Amino acid sequence: FGERIDVKLFKYAEDLEGHLEQEIPDFYFFSNYVWNQNLNLSFADSVRKKSKNTLIVCGGPNTTRMREERKKFLEANPFIDFIIDSEGEIPSCYLIQTYLDLEGEIPKMKTCRLPSTLTLSDDGEMIEGLLAPRLGMFKDSTEIICPGHSIPPDFFDDLQSLDDLPSPYLTGLMDRFFDDQLYPLIETNRGCPFSCSFCQQGTSYFN
């Protein structure tokens, strides 16, 4: 997206709170874990109260695999526009591009069935996009199915693995977090050959 969007990352709640007092984002994406979901939802609710036009999207390993529970989660948190299912890079591209194409018309976005997303329609129906293949697991970008969308078929041709993504460390996005309080964590691989029922990655999608 180049200079069309400006990305900011937040680790400390007080920093995010201060930023939201000064500026309301067009996009608010967050990843839910066991230890931060309640805080994330509180901030998302606050963003929605300040702006009905901000696209609010959540994902992360704390997203349930059970379809009915996903619907209940969206119903209980109506300020969330979309859930991203599983890996987030491809669906995030679709969400941002669609928001730009439709000039922020979130209700129209919800009818698009964007890859690896879940949302609720105005009448309470859960709308699901087809699950996009994992990075490095598709040979042809046409395997990513989203009928009628303006993203060209070759958009993801150069995105075949995590190695093709700009590093948030090398691009400087993480510099301000090297503050002697936080330490960088690097995930050396995604997925797992096992199918443990208690684990978010214990599904056929990840193994």
Side-chain angles (χ1 to χ4, degrees), residues 62-202:
N62 215 43
T63 302
T64 177
R65 308 304 307 175
M66 300 173 65
R67 188 178 189 279
E68 193 57 38
E69 292 301 315
R70 292 176 170 188
K71 184 178 181 182
K72 288 180 181 178
F73 179 83
L74 287 168
E75 290 171 341
N77 302 285
F79 44 84
I80 294 175
D81 296 310
F82 289 89
I83 295 174
I84 287 179
D85 184 4
S86 303
E87 288 187 350
E89 288 82 6
I90 291 172
S92 292
C93 288
Y94 271 96
L95 284 162
I96 293 171
Q97 186 64 54
T98 306
Y99 184 93
L100 296 173
D101 289 346
L102 297 180
E103 299 180 341
E105 291 286 339
I106 296 175
K108 289 183 180 179
M109 290 181 63
K110 292 188 173 188
T111 67
C112 292
R113 295 188 182 273
L114 300 174
S116 297
T117 67
L118 304 97
T119 188
L120 287 183
S121 66
D122 290 339
D123 61 3
E125 176 193 0
M126 190 163 73
I127 302 173
E128 301 176 75
L130 293 175
L131 193 62
R134 294 179 59 205
L135 288 178
M137 300 298 288
F138 58 91
K139 297 179 180 179
D140 185 344
S141 58
T142 58
E143 294 179 34
I144 305 169
I145 300 172
C146 187
H149 195 272
S150 64
I151 289 184
D154 60 353
F155 184 87
F156 297 102
D157 281 353
D158 295 328
L159 188 59
Q160 295 295 315
S161 75
L162 290 175
D163 292 336
D164 298 322
L165 293 171
S167 166
Y169 290 101
L170 298 180
T171 54
L173 283 172
M174 308 294 285
D175 285 358
R176 63 195 183 95
F177 303 125
F178 287 88
D179 56 4
D180 292 328
Q181 296 186 60
L182 300 173
Y183 297 91
L185 297 176
I186 298 177
E187 188 176 39
T188 57
N189 66 288
R190 286 186 181 178
C192 179
F194 302 106
S195 302
C196 303
S197 60
F198 60 81
C199 181
Q200 180 254 354
Q201 294 196 5

Side-chain angles (χ1 to χ4, degrees), residues 2-70:
E3 296 182 357
R4 297 182 70 188
I5 63 172
D6 180 28
V7 177
K8 291 184 174 70
L9 303 179
F10 294 90
K11 293 288 188 180
Y12 299 119
E14 56 269 23
D15 288 347
L16 177 56
E17 184 176 26
H19 181 81
L20 292 176
E21 290 175 357
Q22 303 295 322
E23 180 181 351
I24 298 300
D26 293 318
F27 316 105
Y28 182 69
F29 286 52
F30 58 95
S31 186
N32 283 332
Y33 293 81
V34 172
W35 58 85
N36 70 357
Q37 178 165 295
N38 289 340
L39 183 63
N40 282 339
L41 294 176
S42 177
F43 272 114
D45 187 28
S46 177
V47 169
R48 175 59 73 228
K49 289 175 180 176
K50 294 174 184 289
S51 170
K52 66 178 181 179
N53 297 318
T54 297
L55 178 65
I56 299 178
V57 180
C58 74
N62 215 43
T63 302
T64 177
R65 308 304 307 175
M66 300 173 65
R67 188 178 189 279
E68 193 57 38
E69 292 301 315
R70 292 176 170 188

